[in-house]
């Protein structure tokens, strides 16, 4: 029994060292883990990552930008046992390749917390041009995000993922008001998980530093959402008005455009 182990091992240590037994304020505690064929002993405990074993929580698709937030969101889902793959939208050749290079480096760091992952690179510039040509400027950001959600979901279903993950934090930018989050999520049929939704920027930055992605995330780049961005984006849209605006778009054609030109790393 465990009491027998305590008595036998404790007596051996006492005999070998002459140390006294003090169960209230010991100078050293010896921990013992007894398995079926082996036993392990140790005298120190170190704080690990915590959470659940990766893969036990199912597979999810994370919309990974080159910024601070989405890598932290991916990490937090890994910590809850999810296997995560990444989808990045870029606007090359309209903007530079910097964001693609950054997410490649970020994905390598995140892969330290799971076995491995896929990174899908989706050219988004031509899709943005179609939105600019056929929709009012104030709705562009929400429409961009809805198209990203649709394309990511199509990839997620092919990869047998059960949910999408974003780095959204409530109220942080124009697209992250409750109204706009509702309008964006309406484009999805899979659950959209937002592990950072109640965190402030300082908390997110602290975790980005802890997991090693912060220094890469703050390297200046040209995010695809900066392309054709309006001066006064709508901050409180409704599903009805967004769906009315989208009638001018060939949604299936735009999804096919994104899927047909993707790159896999």
């Amino acid at each position: 029994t465990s009491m027998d182990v305590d008595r036998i091992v404790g007596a051996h240590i006492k005999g070998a060292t002459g140390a006294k037994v003090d169960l209230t304020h010991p100078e050293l505690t010896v921990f013992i883990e007894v398995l079926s064929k082996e036993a392990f002993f140790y005298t120190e405990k170190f704080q690990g990552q915590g959470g659940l074993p990766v893969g036990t929580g199912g597979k999810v698709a994370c919309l990974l930008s080159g910024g601070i937030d989405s890598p932290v969101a991916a990490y937090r889902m890994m910590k809850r046992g999810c296997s995560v793959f990444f989808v990045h939208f870029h606007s090359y050749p309209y903007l530079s390749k910097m964001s693609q290079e950054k997410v490649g480096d970020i994905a390598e760091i995140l892969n330290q917390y799971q076995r491995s992952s896929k990174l899908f690179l989706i050219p988004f510039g031509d899709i943005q041009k179609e939105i600019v040509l056929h929709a009012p400027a104030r709705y562009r950001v929400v429409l961009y995000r809805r198209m990203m959600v649709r394309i990511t979901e199509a990839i997620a279903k092919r990869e047998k993922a059960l949910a999408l993950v974003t780095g959204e934090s409530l109220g942080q930018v124009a697209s992250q008001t409750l109204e706009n989050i509702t309008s964006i999520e309406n484009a999805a049929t899979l659950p959209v998980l937002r592990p950072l939704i109640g965190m402030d920027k300082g908390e997110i930055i602290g975790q980005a530093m802890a997991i090693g992605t912060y220094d890469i995330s703050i390297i200046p780049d040209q995010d695809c959402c900066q392309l054709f961005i309006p001066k006064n984006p709508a901050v409180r849209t409704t599903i009805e008005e967004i769906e009315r605006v989208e009638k001018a778009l060939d949604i299936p054609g735009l999804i096919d455009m994104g899927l047909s030109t993707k790159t896999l790393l």
Side-chain angles (χ1 to χ4, degrees), residues 143-157:
L143 295 175
Y144 291 167
R145 296 291 294 177
R146 281 170 64 91
M147 286 306 308
M148 290 177 182
V149 164
R150 290 185 175 106
I151 293 169
T152 302
E153 181 173 87
I155 297 171
K157 289 180 176 179

Side-chain angles (χ1 to χ4, degrees), residues 4 9 40 59 63 65 72 84 112 117 141 182 235 245-246:
D4 294 330
V9 176
F40 298 90
K59 183 186 288 188
L63 285 81
S65 72
V72 176
V84 183
Q112 297 174 30
S117 64
V141 175
T182 301
V235 295
V245 170
E246 280 188 336

